[in-house]
Amino acid sequence: MNGYIVEREKKTEITRTTEVLVAGGGIAGIAAAIAAARNGKKVVLLEREYALGGMATLGLVTIYLPLCDGEGRQLVFGIGEELLKLSIAHGAEANHPHAWLDGDSLEERIKNRYMTQFNPHLFALRAEALLLELGVTVLYGTLACAVTTEGGAITSVVVENKSGRSAIAVESVIDCTGDADICHLAGARTALHDGGNGLASWYYYFSGGKVSLKMFGLADVVPGRATEREAGGEQNGFEAVKVESLDKNVRFSGVDGEELSRAVIAGHGKMLEDIMSHRRADEAFVPVTISTIPLVRMSRRLVGTYTLDETESRKFMPDSIGMTGDWRKRGPAYELPFRALYGTEVKNLLAAGRDISVTDAMWDITRVIPPCAVTGEAAGMAAAIGSDFARLDVAELQKRLTAQGVKLHLD
Ligand SMILES: Cc1cc2nc3c(=O)[nH]c(=O)nc-3n(C[C@H](O)[C@H](O)[C@H](O)COP(=O)(O)OP(=O)(O)OC[C@H]3O[C@@H](n4cnc5c(N)ncnc54)[C@H](O)[C@@H]3O)c2cc1C
């Protein structure tokens, strides 16, 4: 602690008014903005970086994990599936999901889970074009850094960008920051993940006449790939990966500015060493692109009205807003309750993606791309219906989600 300063009180200009403000343009934010805009709302999406997709594109986490339960049943529909198709609109980098898109047999669908690998740059550009087509205002280089509240609701979100500090007046807010920044700023209850995060620093490289992805450090590798490969499944389209720990002693929370910089710098150092060791063996080896946002798995989340746990597979949720499987194993299937998206403290605030209310064990399941899209879509649709989320007409939300292709319950 180096003492403190008192900033001069100043008037912050309200430069915009919007019906729905989506904070964060990762997968959850993209899905939320699509759903709210398609359902008639004026939407502003804030993104701190200068491209959409968050971890999935700028972090180079380019594997769209399974939309199915591993036993041949599709669980993720709606925007979760639409975004998978968009991500490979110009071809899959690996593992085009033929078994699912070209109507193959159940046997093939069991053998090959509904997942793919996409090009991060094309996906980010296509997502941006889609949001613009839908009339979403995308503000890049814009950090949500404060909120004003009145009567238990957010009235404006204060942002900082090249123009300085300004405010956006809102009817409702969807927190898709991945770290529950808005929940934290607005005084909603939040929790940190107990285990923190390990180092990861993914990059693409060119060698042997082709560009490949190096999942450097922690990676979410679907188990059983080798077995699937032996069985003739199409999963062999993925690069063979050896997941290595970059430094077992480094753990970081994901919500401390200085610690995040140290983690990223440590990852860069290891990456440089790795690249140099490859160049010694192959002088044509060059990095093509490196992850440009911190690779954070679980950091801060909302403590919502319901906190979903890993043990609740196949449990009926009356307020389900969609489903997900478990990318790590075959069999589990979860109905995601709307109550995990809102808390009791702030009426007009929803969480989506990595920010939703789940236990530490469940977090590892809901933090990946497909469930982030499912909760983003539900949040966007809910914000199109009302702004007092604890009192929202859930039957109407479910009716609209179903009409737009989402499947809410297991058979
Ligand atoms: C090492 C690693 C490997 C992974 N592997 C896979 C994988 O193979 N497949 C898979 O499906 N998932 C994987 N994941 C998880 C997955 O990629 C992400 O958890 C998921 O994409 C998160 O989406 P999100 O939209 O919730 O959050 P994010 O992608 O984190 O998006 C949040 C966005 O909000 C922006 N933002 C943050 N704070 C603010 C603010 N205050 N104001 C404005 N903007 C803000 C950020 O810039 C970012 O764009 C992996 C994660 C890690 C760390």
Side-chain angles (χ1 to χ4, degrees):
M1 181 77 152
N2 295 311
Y4 60 87
I5 57 157
V6 178
E7 289 187 77
R8 204 155 57 90
E9 200 174 284
K10 63 168 189 158
K11 281 190 180 150
T12 300
E13 194 186 342
I14 299 174
T15 50
R16 283 184 176 275
T17 297
T18 191
E19 290 173 320
V20 179
L21 183 135
V22 177
I27 296 295
I30 293 169
I34 294 173
R38 266 194 195 140
N39 288 278
K41 286 289 171 184
K42 184 174 164 188
V43 181
V44 170
L45 181 144
L46 308 179
E47 173 50 52
R48 150 191 94 176
E49 310 294 335
Y50 279 89
L52 293 178
M55 209 106 66
T57 59
L58 301 169
L60 307 181
V61 168
T62 52
I63 296 161
Y64 211 115
L65 283 171
L67 306 188
C68 64
D69 66 354
E71 293 177 345
R73 245 167 270 113
Q74 185 174 342
L75 298 171
V76 174
F77 295 82
I79 293 175
E81 186 178 24
E82 178 184 344
L83 289 180
L84 178 143
K85 290 180 183 166
L86 185 72
S87 77
I88 54 171
H90 305 284
E93 298 270 286
N95 200 62
H96 180 87
H98 289 292
W100 297 84
L101 297 181
D102 306 332
D104 279 355
S105 64
L106 178 64
E107 198 193 346
E108 284 300 315
R109 290 175 181 217
I110 294 172
K111 211 188 285 172
N112 298 294
R113 291 190 75 174
Y114 194 175
M115 60 191 290
T116 192
Q117 185 170 350
F118 55 85
N119 180 286
H121 314 302
L122 285 170
F123 187 23
L125 297 174
R126 289 301 302 245
E128 182 187 86
L130 175 58
L131 292 194
L132 297 181
E133 248 168 56
L134 292 170
V136 174
T137 301
V138 177
L139 296 180
Y140 283 134
T142 301
L143 185 76
C145 53
V147 300
T148 57
T149 57
E150 212 177 287
I154 299 176
T155 48
S156 75
V157 173
V158 179
V159 300
E160 283 187 354
N161 58 24
K162 243 341 188 194
S163 318
R165 200 168 164 92
S166 61
I168 302 175
V170 298
E171 276 176 21
S172 64
V173 180
I174 306 175
D175 187 340
C176 300
T177 59
D179 307 312
D181 285 4
I182 307 293
C183 298
H184 173 68
L185 293 167
R189 267 184 73 204
T190 57
L192 292 179
H193 188 263
D194 253 356
N197 292 274
L199 280 188
S201 208
W202 291 21
Y203 67 93
Y204 277 89
Y205 62 92
F206 180 82
S207 175
K210 64 182 175 109
V211 173
S212 307
L213 173 64
K214 173 105 182 199
M215 301 175 191
F216 194 47
L218 278 184
D220 299 332
V221 180
V222 175
R225 263 207 223 135
T227 328
E228 281 157 359
R229 214 172 300 157
E230 280 149 25
E234 290 179 4
Q235 308 288 0
N236 58 356
F238 284 105
E239 290 296 308
V241 284
K242 181 170 166 284
V243 179
E244 51 213 302
S245 169
L246 299 189
D247 185 345
K248 285 202 175 69
N249 300 316
V250 177
R251 302 298 300 175
F252 62 100
S253 69
V255 293
D256 174 322
E258 297 213 359
E259 181 202 50
L260 266 173
S261 291
R262 285 196 299 275
V264 168
I265 290 166
H268 285 169
K270 298 278 178 195
M271 187 195 283
L272 185 59
E273 273 171 30
D274 191 59
I275 291 167
M276 288 308 145
S277 79
H278 284 292
R279 280 175 74 89
R280 279 191 285 279
D282 166 14
E283 62 182 25
F285 183 104
V286 276
V288 176
T289 177
I290 65 172
S291 46
T292 50
I293 58 172
L295 293 179
V296 179
R297 288 177 158 189
M298 294 159 287
S299 52
R300 182 169 51 208
R301 64 163 175 89
L302 171 75
V303 176
T305 303
Y306 193 89
T307 300
L308 186 66
D309 186 48
E310 192 188 19
T311 53
E312 297 181 278
S313 168
R314 302 198 173 270
K315 181 169 165 182
F316 176 78
M317 292 288 169
D319 58 338
S320 173
I321 46 84
M323 296 185 286
T324 188
D326 182 344
W327 61 273
R328 303 166 306 181
K329 49 184 184 253
R330 295 172 183 275
Y334 296 90
E335 297 190 1
L336 301 166
F338 183 51
R339 285 161 295 164
L341 274 56
Y342 65 85
T344 50
E345 297 84 8
V346 189
K347 289 179 200 162
N348 61 345
L349 174 63
L350 287 173
R354 293 199 287 125
D355 298 347
I356 67 166
S357 186
V358 285
T359 59
D360 279 7
M362 187 69 201
W363 212 337
D364 199 27
I365 299 171
T366 54
R367 71 180 170 79
V368 300
I369 294 173
C372 285
V374 172
T375 54
E377 173 170 15
M381 182 70 88
I385 297 172
S387 58
D388 183 350
F389 296 116
R391 290 166 201 274
L392 198 86
D393 182 348
V394 176
E396 175 64 17
L397 171 64
Q398 292 178 316
K399 195 173 106 195
R400 291 217 211 169
L401 286 170
T402 306
Q404 296 195 6
V406 174
K407 204 169 159 213
L408 304 174
H409 299 290
L410 294 158
D411 295 327

